[in-house]
Amino acid sequence: MIMPIPTYWLKKWERGYNQAFFLAKGLASNYAIPVDTSIIKRTRYTISQTMLVSTERMVNLDDAFTINKFLNNQHILLADDVLTTRSTISTCAKVLRENGAARISGITCTTPREDIRND
C-alpha cells in the first residue's frame, strides 16, 4: 500500500492540503495500489524541516509519528513531496518497521539542488 507522509492537522489546515497525499493518490490511480491515510499519524506540530540542518531534523521529528495498526509483514511505499536528508522518511520507516512492516520504500517528487541545501 501507499502511505503519504502525514501532515499535522494544524499544518494541513493552514496549508489547505497535504501535498504528499496528492503524490500518493496519483501513483495509486496509475498503478492500482491502495492509499491508506489512517494508519500512520503525525502526533505533534513540527517546525519546517527546510530551515534545519540534518541533526536538528531528527530531533524535530522525535516522537512525531505513531501507528494505530499492526502491519503484518506488509510492503509500504511512503510518499513525500521533497527529499532532503531523508529524515522524515527514515523516521516514518522506523515506526512502520517497529509495527510489523516487512518492507518500506520511499518516493518523492523532488530533491533540492545541492547548492541550496542548509547542511
Side-chain angles (χ1 to χ4, degrees):
M1 80 178 69
I2 303 172
M3 289 185 189
I5 297 293
T7 302
Y8 190 66
W9 70 268
L10 181 59
K11 199 172 280 190
K12 185 176 177 185
W13 179 79
E14 290 170 347
R15 190 181 292 142
Y17 61 93
N18 175 359
Q19 60 274 25
F21 171 74
F22 290 105
L23 171 61
K25 188 176 170 184
L27 289 167
S29 67
N30 283 327
Y31 297 102
I33 301 170
V35 174
D36 195 315
T37 60
S38 68
I39 295 174
I40 190 165
K41 297 290 181 193
R42 193 176 290 246
T43 58
R44 63 181 178 81
Y45 191 92
T46 54
I47 61 173
S48 175
Q49 296 279 87
T50 59
M51 303 311 274
L52 304 174
V53 295
S54 58
T55 54
E56 295 170 322
R57 290 172 189 220
M58 294 306 288
V59 171
N60 187 42
L61 293 171
D62 191 36
D63 296 324
F65 300 100
T66 189
I67 303 282
N68 63 14
K69 177 181 175 184
F70 186 73
L71 296 168
N72 201 22
N73 295 318
Q74 293 185 42
H75 180 191
I76 308 296
L77 176 61
L78 286 171
D80 201 3
D81 58 337
V82 178
L83 178 74
T84 307
T85 62
R86 295 178 302 278
S87 300
T88 305
I89 284 183
S90 294
T91 302
C92 284
K94 179 179 181 240
V95 173
L96 292 167
R97 224 177 286 108
E98 289 169 350
N99 287 275
R103 185 171 171 203
I104 300 133
S105 303
I107 191 165
T108 63
C109 288
T110 189
T111 59
R113 290 189 345 231
E114 192 65 34
D115 61 331
I116 61 170
R117 281 188 169 176
N118 293 327
D119 51 350

